[in-house]
Amino acid sequence: FFGFLMVLTISLLMQDAVMEPYGGEVFGMCISETTKLNAFFGMGTLVGISSSGFLILPRLGKQRSVKLGCISAAVCFGLIILAGFTANGGMLKGSLLLYGLASGVLTAGATSLMLDLTAAETAGTFIGAWGLAQSMARGLSTVLGGAILNFGKLVFPVPMLAYGTVFAIEALGMLLAVWLLRRVNVEEFRDNAKQAIATVIEGEID
């Protein structure tokens, strides 16, 4: 689950470092326009988080909701790339709105799943571990996003291909997160956690 959170967060946030330059360099947007791009993503995220708790999580369950969010996000990256090839600013904004919705769904599902993978007796330890995974991933996502973009500009003569490489890797990361999620077993975690906690308590009593 630690690895899943790392991959998920990196893939989710890598675009933060490149989205505004993407709008300026590929779409010819001015600074005031590029700064508004994050607003579309933010609005979609808020709607996704607020609605998924009532509409999606109760129907699909936590793991399936996260899977839906990851796959939807991967599709949205494809739309963002397509928008760049067509230089369609409206399509870019719409894709970011949809990407925000997908992000909200998977964020709500992953947070709920995180609580399931936390034992009450050692809540601080597990929440700290999951928080550490997300914090590390946030830092790495910015570094990786910029590094991949610079590498892409060295390899490809067209800026669109360099930016597209970043978004394509994010899409692959989302699919990798889905594969890692399949290996997460809540019941097995609870059994192992109970056994480990019982062993520690027995050792303290002795």
Side-chain angles (χ1 to χ4, degrees), residues 55-109:
L55 302 175
I56 299 177
L57 283 172
R59 291 174 172 79
L60 297 182
K62 296 165 187 177
Q63 287 182 284
R64 291 176 66 186
S65 296
V66 175
K67 181 180 178 180
L68 172 65
C70 289
I71 294 174
S72 300
V75 172
C76 289
F77 283 125
L79 293 176
I80 291 172
I81 294 172
L82 182 60
F85 280 116
T86 58
N88 188 329
M91 184 178 181
L92 174 63
K93 294 172 183 178
S95 299
L96 284 172
L97 184 63
L98 293 175
Y99 176 54
L101 287 170
S103 172
V105 172
L106 65 88
T107 298

Side-chain angles (χ1 to χ4, degrees), residues 76-202:
C76 289
F77 283 125
L79 293 176
I80 291 172
I81 294 172
L82 182 60
F85 280 116
T86 58
N88 188 329
M91 184 178 181
L92 174 63
K93 294 172 183 178
S95 299
L96 284 172
L97 184 63
L98 293 175
Y99 176 54
L101 287 170
S103 172
V105 172
L106 65 88
T107 298
T111 302
S112 300
L113 189 59
M114 181 172 66
L115 296 177
D116 283 349
L117 289 162
T118 301
E121 296 86 350
T122 55
T125 300
F126 285 112
I127 292 296
W130 309 149
L132 176 63
Q134 291 182 314
S135 297
M136 290 171 59
R138 284 178 182 274
L140 286 172
S141 65
T142 301
V143 175
L144 287 173
I148 293 171
L149 177 61
N150 287 337
F151 176 76
K153 287 185 175 182
L154 291 174
V155 174
F156 301 112
V158 181
M160 177 54 222
L161 295 177
Y163 287 99
T165 300
V166 178
F167 300 132
I169 290 176
E170 288 186 281
L172 291 175
M174 285 294 176
L175 298 179
L176 175 60
V178 171
W179 181 79
L180 290 172
L181 181 64
R182 294 174 58 187
R183 302 177 64 85
V184 175
N185 189 317
V186 175
E187 295 301 326
E188 182 179 353
F189 167 83
R190 288 175 175 170
D191 292 340
N192 291 341
K194 287 179 181 179
Q195 292 176 5
I197 292 169
T199 301
V200 171
I201 293 176
E202 289 175 0

Side-chain angles (χ1 to χ4, degrees), residues 33-52:
E33 289 178 306
T34 59
T35 54
K36 293 177 183 177
L37 291 176
N38 285 327
F40 291 93
F41 172 72
M43 286 189 295
T45 302
L46 288 175
V47 174
I49 291 175
S50 58
S51 62
S52 59

Side-chain angles (χ1 to χ4, degrees), residues 13-34:
L13 300 177
M14 202 185 298
Q15 53 86 26
D16 281 356
V18 303
M19 187 55 67
E20 290 187 25
Y22 181 54
E25 194 168 354
V26 176
F27 294 85
M29 296 179 177
C30 62
I31 294 176
S32 61
E33 289 178 306
T34 59

